[in-house]
Amino acid sequence: MRRIILSMSVSLDGFFEGPDHTIDWHLVDDEVHEYINRQFEDVSVFLLGRVDYELMESVWPDAESDPAIAGPMLEFAGIWRDTPKVVFSRTLERAGANATVRREVDPEEIRELKAQPGGDMFVGGAELAAAFRQHDLIDEYRTFVHPVLLGAGRPLFPPAGGRTPLRLAGTRTFGNGVVLLHHERAEAPAPS
């Protein structure tokens, strides 16, 4: 069964974006980007909220035409372009190539997607992640903690009812100070 994985960047004080929706504090250098590419190269579907989708779609489909985009960033452009996407939005009428739009998260439909063969699915966007979490659909949390205190912004995890027990599956420290915390659902079997 495919897993649903949340992979997000967050400040040390728990914000995924700063005041005025800023993300300029993200420290995604070649080492971090290379790691992210390895995570995503076998992904079967990106599950995205409208805001994240539009942000990503504004950069990656035409990245080859930007001479400033090279190395791991250029490699990611191909991963983005080739991977199917499901965009959850109540306002978006249609999405670009290789993407479909869903109006809301239907837990049964998501469970059917999980049961299909193929690589894991990555969920992106804090609001969509909150909806997936509310329906208990997230299997893994891969949180890239950046060495910055923002003091304000939008928290990655808004208050939610109920506890979700997790177990630490691994960590990685990158040369720029970013630390990956990889957690799985507590009932998931330990890797062998």
Side-chain angles (χ1 to χ4, degrees):
M1 179 177 280
R2 302 193 286 192
R3 296 169 296 175
I4 294 179
I5 300 168
L6 173 65
S7 180
M8 293 281 289
S9 288
V10 26
S11 66
L12 185 60
D13 50 352
F15 298 105
F16 76 94
E17 65 181 17
D20 300 320
H21 309 290
T22 59
I23 58 170
D24 58 350
W25 48 272
H26 285 195
L27 298 174
V28 182
D29 61 10
D30 281 353
E31 181 189 14
V32 172
H33 221 299
E34 181 68 33
Y35 183 86
I36 290 169
N37 289 353
R38 297 297 68 83
Q39 279 191 110
F40 290 160
E41 65 189 359
D42 293 325
V43 69
S44 62
V45 179
F46 286 120
L47 305 163
L48 302 155
R50 179 191 56 81
V51 173
D52 274 9
Y53 171 73
E54 288 178 339
L55 176 67
M56 300 291 278
E57 196 67 6
S58 72
V59 175
W60 299 113
D62 300 319
E64 286 87 358
S65 64
D66 184 344
I69 295 179
M73 289 177 65
L74 190 59
E75 180 186 8
F76 179 78
I79 294 168
W80 171 260
R81 194 177 40 254
D82 295 342
T83 303
K85 298 154 209 58
V86 177
V87 183
F88 294 86
S89 172
R90 292 184 183 92
T91 59
L92 192 65
E93 291 302 319
R94 64 181 178 274
N98 214 11
T100 58
V101 177
R102 295 287 185 271
R103 293 291 171 224
E104 59 187 44
V105 175
D106 177 347
E108 271 314 303
E109 179 184 16
I110 301 302
R111 287 184 188 97
E112 288 172 13
L113 274 174
K114 283 181 70 169
Q116 293 176 10
D120 293 330
M121 300 180 291
F122 278 79
V123 62
E127 287 183 30
L128 184 61
F132 272 62
R133 189 169 163 229
Q134 178 184 14
H135 293 295
D136 198 29
L137 295 169
I138 300 175
D139 301 300
E140 292 186 20
Y141 296 81
R142 297 182 188 175
T143 311
F144 292 85
V145 181
H146 294 252
V148 62
L149 296 167
L150 296 178
R154 290 184 60 201
L156 177 56
F157 298 112
R163 181 183 302 195
T164 303
L166 303 171
R167 68 174 182 81
L168 185 63
T171 62
R172 177 167 174 170
T173 302
F174 296 92
N176 64 6
V178 172
V179 175
L180 169 68
L181 300 176
H182 178 187
H183 290 88
E184 296 177 341
R185 297 174 66 90
E187 67 268 19
S192 50

